[in-house]
Amino acid sequence: MKIIKILIYSLVLVTPLCAKWSLHTIDKSSRGADGVRFLDVNGDKLLDIATGWEEGGIVRAYINPGKERVQQLWPAVTVGKVPSPEDAVLIDLDRDGNVDVVSSCEGRNRRVHVHWAPKIKSDYLKPEMWHTDTFPNTIGSSWMFALSMDMDGLRGIDLVLGSKGSGGSISWLESPENPRDLSAWKLHKLRASSWLMTIRTEDMDNDGDLDILASDRKSKNSKVLWLENPGPKANRNQKSWVEHTVGAHGREVMFIDFTDLNGDGRKDAIVPCRPREILILYQPEKLDQHWEEQVLTFPSEKYGTAKGVRVADLDKDGKLDIAVTCEHANGHLSGCFYLSYKNSTRDRFWKDTDIGGPLGTKYDRIELLDVDGDGDLDLFSCEERDQLGVFWYENPSVSNF
């Protein structure tokens, strides 16, 4: 049976006056902060942060100081100095109980580094106790993103990597017996990519293992896709991963989110597309069916171009909202806001609520966390051009309905 593609174009309404989201700086001491990644590094049940500063050429870790002090600058350590870090992620790569940092670099650097944490936990904030190494098999590609995943059921954590440009790919690094021997890590290509933005692990087919969900930004084959994990044994034999298209084919897709937006028990893809569209790709009952597409647009006279999204109930009205960050938020344009619906996700009109105002020009991916312990979700991001650095916006906990 022929599947008819459904498009729902939604115009957001003008936002009324509302409570202000206060900006709190975690760090703005370098240049070009590029992404925030969370993990509890010290076992205090508080999420800490890793960030690469692309223009500053440093990679830093930030320790969550607790809700009483989160509005101040966070304790930080420069874990390494490397050119053009595009991404930094917290991973205990050598399984010694101390959390290391893996940085993915583009520019002229084009390699993946590991920044080994000190062996003594009390030395974690001492930069001289950190040591930086390079994965030799990664040299030459413009790496954009990394995450940890056990691909083959052997020897602990492997790494999934994404890159862009000539030779761009989704690949994985196979961990050797001794993870500190970086020359022994083997690089395996899963798929070519043009400009990898998102990689996340999801059990897409409910078969008990983790697949890879990704957004590939450029080329005529740009889209949101997922790669089907053939299983640990097959990965040990380098079996190929079957590719499945989710949607947004031919669009410039950015940092996506994946969650059950409409409450039907199936996760949906929420996809920011340049210049100013948010696509909702509703997951069908069977994965080989068409993902229905709904398109939300937001006004060019108020906001920059779409960059990242995260879905959560931000205004505490019991319904999920879509937080959005932007690039090219020049002049009076805002680079951070959220969209909310009144009755159903299928509403023709979604309302926009500004968060950032005229501050900042080029925002990045989003994380949401109740960092101040007041019962609502705050928004974490970075900004690269106006040097807002690493920061969070404090949710004022006001419902607009």
mmCIF file of all heavy atoms in Angstrom, residues 5 18 23 57 61 72 83 85 110 136 143 249 253 267 299-300 351 353 381:
data_model
loop_
_atom_site.group_PDB
_atom_site.id
_atom_site.type_symbol
_atom_site.label_atom_id
_atom_site.label_comp_id
_atom_site.label_asym_id
_atom_site.label_seq_id
_atom_site.Cartn_x
_atom_site.Cartn_y
_atom_site.Cartn_z
ATOM 1 N N LYS A 5 2.957 10.774 2.467
ATOM 2 C CA LYS A 5 3.702 11.617 3.392
ATOM 3 C C LYS A 5 2.826 12.770 3.847
ATOM 4 O O LYS A 5 2.227 13.468 3.040
ATOM 5 C CB LYS A 5 4.963 12.155 2.719
ATOM 6 C CG LYS A 5 5.877 12.944 3.639
ATOM 7 C CD LYS A 5 7.133 13.322 2.890
ATOM 8 C CE LYS A 5 8.100 14.069 3.778
ATOM 9 N NZ LYS A 5 9.329 14.464 3.055
ATOM 10 N N CYS A 18 7.041 36.984 29.950
ATOM 11 C CA CYS A 18 7.093 35.877 30.877
ATOM 12 C C CYS A 18 8.313 36.040 31.755
ATOM 13 O O CYS A 18 9.141 36.920 31.549
ATOM 14 C CB CYS A 18 7.130 34.540 30.136
ATOM 15 S SG CYS A 18 8.525 34.382 29.008
ATOM 16 N N LEU A 23 20.886 33.703 33.362
ATOM 17 C CA LEU A 23 22.097 33.059 32.854
ATOM 18 C C LEU A 23 23.125 32.930 33.973
ATOM 19 O O LEU A 23 23.424 33.901 34.674
ATOM 20 C CB LEU A 23 22.682 33.891 31.713
ATOM 21 C CG LEU A 23 24.024 33.419 31.151
ATOM 22 C CD1 LEU A 23 23.854 32.132 30.368
ATOM 23 C CD2 LEU A 23 24.641 34.502 30.261
ATOM 24 N N GLY A 57 41.769 25.770 22.114
ATOM 25 C CA GLY A 57 42.679 24.634 22.056
ATOM 26 C C GLY A 57 42.886 23.929 23.385
ATOM 27 O O GLY A 57 43.976 23.405 23.651
ATOM 28 N N ALA A 61 37.344 19.738 32.233
ATOM 29 C CA ALA A 61 36.309 19.054 33.006
ATOM 30 C C ALA A 61 35.872 19.982 34.128
ATOM 31 O O ALA A 61 36.686 20.715 34.710
ATOM 32 C CB ALA A 61 36.840 17.745 33.579
ATOM 33 N N GLN A 72 27.732 29.892 40.888
ATOM 34 C CA GLN A 72 29.081 30.417 40.815
ATOM 35 C C GLN A 72 29.860 29.684 39.726
ATOM 36 O O GLN A 72 29.384 28.700 39.145
ATOM 37 C CB GLN A 72 29.770 30.244 42.169
ATOM 38 C CG GLN A 72 29.029 30.861 43.340
ATOM 39 C CD GLN A 72 29.625 30.473 44.677
ATOM 40 O OE1 GLN A 72 30.770 30.014 44.754
ATOM 41 N NE2 GLN A 72 28.857 30.663 45.748
ATOM 42 N N PRO A 83 44.711 21.102 19.582
ATOM 43 C CA PRO A 83 44.069 22.021 18.642
ATOM 44 C C PRO A 83 42.685 21.534 18.209
ATOM 45 O O PRO A 83 42.464 20.338 18.024
ATOM 46 C CB PRO A 83 45.035 22.034 17.444
ATOM 47 C CG PRO A 83 46.321 21.489 17.965
ATOM 48 C CD PRO A 83 45.952 20.519 19.031
ATOM 49 N N PRO A 85 39.475 21.057 19.390
ATOM 50 C CA PRO A 85 38.597 20.025 19.953
ATOM 51 C C PRO A 85 37.133 20.344 19.664
ATOM 52 O O PRO A 85 36.622 21.389 20.055
ATOM 53 C CB PRO A 85 38.901 20.085 21.447
ATOM 54 C CG PRO A 85 39.348 21.492 21.688
ATOM 55 C CD PRO A 85 40.070 21.912 20.438
ATOM 56 N N ARG A 110 42.736 16.822 13.444
ATOM 57 C CA ARG A 110 42.125 15.650 12.820
ATOM 58 C C ARG A 110 42.583 14.329 13.449
ATOM 59 O O ARG A 110 43.156 13.470 12.793
ATOM 60 C CB ARG A 110 42.408 15.633 11.310
ATOM 61 C CG ARG A 110 41.815 16.835 10.600
ATOM 62 C CD ARG A 110 41.893 16.712 9.100
ATOM 63 N NE ARG A 110 41.301 17.865 8.461
ATOM 64 C CZ ARG A 110 41.077 17.962 7.155
ATOM 65 N NH1 ARG A 110 41.418 16.955 6.361
ATOM 66 N NH2 ARG A 110 40.551 19.049 6.649
ATOM 67 N N PRO A 136 46.471 6.460 17.194
ATOM 68 C CA PRO A 136 47.138 6.587 15.889
ATOM 69 C C PRO A 136 46.216 6.297 14.706
ATOM 70 O O PRO A 136 46.338 6.945 13.651
ATOM 71 C CB PRO A 136 48.275 5.562 15.965
ATOM 72 C CG PRO A 136 48.536 5.371 17.416
ATOM 73 C CD PRO A 136 47.198 5.510 18.076
ATOM 74 N N TRP A 143 37.108 14.605 13.150
ATOM 75 C CA TRP A 143 36.224 13.929 14.089
ATOM 76 C C TRP A 143 35.330 14.919 14.806
ATOM 77 O O TRP A 143 35.775 15.967 15.274
ATOM 78 C CB TRP A 143 37.040 13.109 15.081
ATOM 79 C CG TRP A 143 37.840 12.039 14.409
ATOM 80 C CD1 TRP A 143 39.187 12.033 14.164
ATOM 81 C CD2 TRP A 143 37.326 10.820 13.852
ATOM 82 N NE1 TRP A 143 39.553 10.888 13.502
ATOM 83 C CE2 TRP A 143 38.428 10.119 13.292
ATOM 84 C CE3 TRP A 143 36.064 10.240 13.766
ATOM 85 C CZ2 TRP A 143 38.298 8.886 12.665
ATOM 86 C CZ3 TRP A 143 35.925 9.000 13.144
ATOM 87 C CH2 TRP A 143 37.029 8.338 12.608
ATOM 88 N N HIS A 249 15.167 13.392 4.743
ATOM 89 C CA HIS A 249 16.099 13.182 3.638
ATOM 90 C C HIS A 249 16.296 14.475 2.849
ATOM 91 O O HIS A 249 15.341 15.154 2.468
ATOM 92 C CB HIS A 249 15.568 12.087 2.710
ATOM 93 C CG HIS A 249 16.591 11.581 1.739
ATOM 94 N ND1 HIS A 249 16.863 12.204 0.553
ATOM 95 C CD2 HIS A 249 17.439 10.513 1.802
ATOM 96 C CE1 HIS A 249 17.798 11.543 -0.091
ATOM 97 N NE2 HIS A 249 18.173 10.516 0.645
ATOM 98 N N VAL A 253 20.179 18.498 8.669
ATOM 99 C CA VAL A 253 19.772 18.074 10.007
ATOM 100 C C VAL A 253 20.884 18.366 11.011
ATOM 101 O O VAL A 253 22.059 18.193 10.727
ATOM 102 C CB VAL A 253 19.408 16.581 10.015
ATOM 103 C CG1 VAL A 253 18.164 16.337 9.184
ATOM 104 C CG2 VAL A 253 20.554 15.721 9.472
ATOM 105 N N LYS A 267 9.179 5.942 20.698
ATOM 106 C CA LYS A 267 10.011 7.136 20.649
ATOM 107 C C LYS A 267 9.980 7.781 19.269
ATOM 108 O O LYS A 267 10.013 7.086 18.248
ATOM 109 C CB LYS A 267 11.454 6.802 21.029
ATOM 110 C CG LYS A 267 11.653 6.514 22.508
ATOM 111 C CD LYS A 267 13.127 6.357 22.827
ATOM 112 C CE LYS A 267 13.349 6.188 24.322
ATOM 113 N NZ LYS A 267 14.799 6.091 24.649
ATOM 114 N N PRO A 299 9.928 31.899 13.760
ATOM 115 C CA PRO A 299 10.063 33.156 13.015
ATOM 116 C C PRO A 299 11.502 33.647 12.891
ATOM 117 O O PRO A 299 12.246 33.713 13.871
ATOM 118 C CB PRO A 299 9.216 34.146 13.819
ATOM 119 C CG PRO A 299 9.135 33.564 15.181
ATOM 120 C CD PRO A 299 9.169 32.091 15.017
ATOM 121 N N SER A 300 11.879 34.049 11.681
ATOM 122 C CA SER A 300 13.221 34.558 11.404
ATOM 123 C C SER A 300 13.463 35.925 12.029
ATOM 124 O O SER A 300 14.608 36.316 12.239
ATOM 125 C CB SER A 300 13.441 34.640 9.889
ATOM 126 O OG SER A 300 12.507 35.522 9.293
ATOM 127 N N LYS A 351 3.460 27.576 20.629
ATOM 128 C CA LYS A 351 3.855 28.854 21.181
ATOM 129 C C LYS A 351 5.355 28.867 21.472
ATOM 130 O O LYS A 351 5.909 27.906 21.997
ATOM 131 C CB LYS A 351 3.066 29.138 22.472
ATOM 132 C CG LYS A 351 3.391 30.469 23.132
ATOM 133 C CD LYS A 351 2.319 30.840 24.140
ATOM 134 C CE LYS A 351 2.316 29.878 25.315
ATOM 135 N NZ LYS A 351 3.440 30.147 26.230
ATOM 136 N N THR A 353 8.573 30.503 23.521
ATOM 137 C CA THR A 353 8.956 31.237 24.720
ATOM 138 C C THR A 353 10.457 31.481 24.675
ATOM 139 O O THR A 353 11.246 30.537 24.646
ATOM 140 C CB THR A 353 8.588 30.457 25.995
ATOM 141 O OG1 THR A 353 7.179 30.231 26.026
ATOM 142 C CG2 THR A 353 9.012 31.223 27.242
ATOM 143 N N SER A 381 24.139 24.691 27.969
ATOM 144 C CA SER A 381 24.667 24.736 26.612
ATOM 145 C C SER A 381 25.998 25.482 26.618
ATOM 146 O O SER A 381 26.541 25.809 27.677
ATOM 147 C CB SER A 381 23.669 25.408 25.657
ATOM 148 O OG SER A 381 24.051 25.224 24.307
#
